[in-house]
Amino acid sequence: ATTLGAAAAQSGRYFGTAIASGKLGDSAYTTIANREFDMVTAENEMKIDATEPNRGQFNFSAGDRVYNWAVQNGKRVRGHTLAWHNQQPGWMQSLSGGTLRQAMIDHINGVMNHYRGKIYAWDVVNEAFADGNSGGRRDSNLQRTGNDWIEVAFRTARAADPAAKLCYNDYNIDNWTWAKTQGVYNMVRDFKSRGVPIDCVGLQSHFNSNSPYNSNYRTTIQSFAALGVDVQITELDIQGGSATTYANVVNDCLAVPRCTGITVWGVRDSDSWLGENTSPLLFDRNGNKKAAYTSVLNAL
Ligand code: XIL
């Protein structure tokens, strides 16, 4: 195979990228994105602030631009994200208690109803666990509505679109020895044992010197998969752009049948949320394939 998407498809997997609606007029960008990837995540356009800027008033214009570009070019779409402490619109930031809980439910219903039947997997809840050694939940307005907010979000999501896979997505849950990883693992195990609907875990996989790739990544993927959920690598970028590390990530996913796909968080280094100078992606600013690209293609 000569593209990432086709190479991943050889083992029944996908290879995706984050797409920014504001770059869809850049033909250098869309040419690479269309050629190489077969799964799309909207980088910001399906988040809470974008889709419900005023309470009860939904706006899907930017989300639909990304969605339509993807589908018109034969790609599937991951939905990102429905319940998160970040990128909440101002009106939601100021809510609490039962009012916020209901607003979360209404938001999930509003967005999932619009995209009903059209999304491969939704990141239903994003980044709900704390960094550090607690293994517990992150404090947030959503968390303060009660510890059951995550399962309420998943039950709401299942009813809203039974066709979508429902994922829990987070960063710093790739290192098996970290308390945060164990906290999420225990939640997923509990959800599976109690029949709370969850289909997948998203490992964001933003690797840098503070959160480096670790060779226990494969153990993490295997351990989540053994709970009976798919694992998806949802936001991969590697600061410094090590070709070896990129190959390790691919090999670890391919070693686990339930690791169903990999998404990189942007197309060219100059598109990265981390800044071009960190060289985290697979193409340089001129659209040239980097060593990391070749390494990924050969590993797939
Ligand atoms: C980032 C986007 O890439 C930026 O454009 C935006 O300014 C902030 O959010 N974890 C996530 C993603 O789940 O939604 C974040 O995306 C990166 C970290």
Side-chain angles (χ1 to χ4, degrees):
T2 58
T3 67
L4 300 170
Q10 294 173 139
S11 69
R13 293 178 172 83
Y14 64 81
F15 208 101
T17 185
I19 289 287
S21 58
K23 292 178 179 163
L24 289 174
D26 174 349
S27 64
Y29 175 81
T30 54
T31 297
I32 300 170
N34 190 24
R35 184 186 69 217
E36 296 289 341
F37 302 100
D38 60 356
M39 184 72 78
V40 162
T41 306
E43 187 170 359
N44 290 293
E45 293 79 354
M46 294 189 193
K47 292 175 178 175
I48 315 174
D49 54 358
T51 52
E52 196 178 356
N54 300 296
R55 190 173 181 188
Q57 288 183 1
F58 289 87
N59 183 340
F60 299 108
S61 54
D64 286 353
R65 279 201 290 281
V66 175
Y67 177 85
N68 290 332
W69 180 85
V71 170
Q72 282 160 12
N73 289 291
K75 304 173 199 319
R76 292 183 290 172
V77 176
R78 296 190 78 266
H80 177 77
T81 178
L82 297 166
W84 190 23
H85 67 281
N86 256 337
Q87 291 182 265
Q88 291 183 359
W91 64 266
M92 184 179 275
Q93 292 175 34
S94 64
L95 296 186
S96 63
T99 317
L100 174 60
R101 176 66 66 90
Q102 189 59 49
M104 177 191 83
I105 292 169
D106 293 345
H107 181 77
I108 292 169
N109 282 325
V111 177
M112 289 190 80
N113 185 49
H114 179 76
Y115 292 109
R116 188 177 162 98
K118 298 175 165 183
I119 299 291
Y120 166 71
W122 268 108
D123 292 329
V124 177
V125 172
N126 198 32
E127 301 181 345
F129 277 71
D131 292 308
N133 296 322
S134 78
R137 300 287 181 83
R138 169 197 297 277
D139 179 53
S140 71
N141 60 346
L142 289 164
Q143 181 61 29
R144 290 191 293 271
T145 68
N147 207 49
D148 62 343
W149 72 277
I150 298 181
E151 67 182 86
V152 168
F154 275 88
R155 291 187 198 279
T156 303
R158 177 67 93 225
D161 185 355
K165 290 182 186 285
L166 306 181
C167 300
Y168 176 81
N169 190 55
D170 213 332
Y171 66 91
N172 285 357
I173 59 167
D174 20 69
N175 188 321
W176 182 242
T177 68
W178 287 8
K180 186 173 177 181
T181 309
Q182 295 302 312
V184 173
Y185 176 83
N186 288 331
M187 178 188 74
V188 175
R189 188 174 56 185
D190 171 57
F191 280 13
K192 293 301 284 185
S193 75
R194 291 191 295 113
V196 178
I198 183 167
D199 306 306
C200 36
V201 170
L203 307 179
Q204 290 185 8
S205 308
H206 296 291
F207 292 118
N208 56 59
S209 54
N210 293 320
S211 303
Y213 168 84
N214 186 289
S215 58
N216 65 33
Y217 190 58
R218 190 177 299 196
T219 299
T220 304
I221 296 171
Q222 277 166 342
S223 300
F224 278 113
L227 293 175
V229 291
D230 291 346
V231 177
Q232 300 167 9
I233 297 170
T234 53
E235 305 181 16
L236 178 63
D237 47 32
I238 301 172
Q239 293 194 38
S242 163
T244 304
T245 307
Y246 262 107
N248 288 338
V249 168
V250 172
N251 286 324
D252 290 343
C253 180
L254 264 54
V256 182
R258 290 201 79 155
C259 183
T260 59
I262 300 173
T263 295
V264 288
W265 205 239
V267 178
R268 302 161 299 192
D269 285 337
S270 47
D271 302 314
S272 172
W273 71 307
L274 300 169
E276 180 186 10
N277 55 348
T278 63
S279 192
L281 295 172
L282 301 178
F283 295 87
D284 70 18
R285 71 150 41 247
N286 297 315
N288 297 310
K289 297 169 178 173
K290 296 166 57 184
Y293 172 93
T294 308
S295 174
V296 167
L297 187 68
N298 289 340
L300 284 167

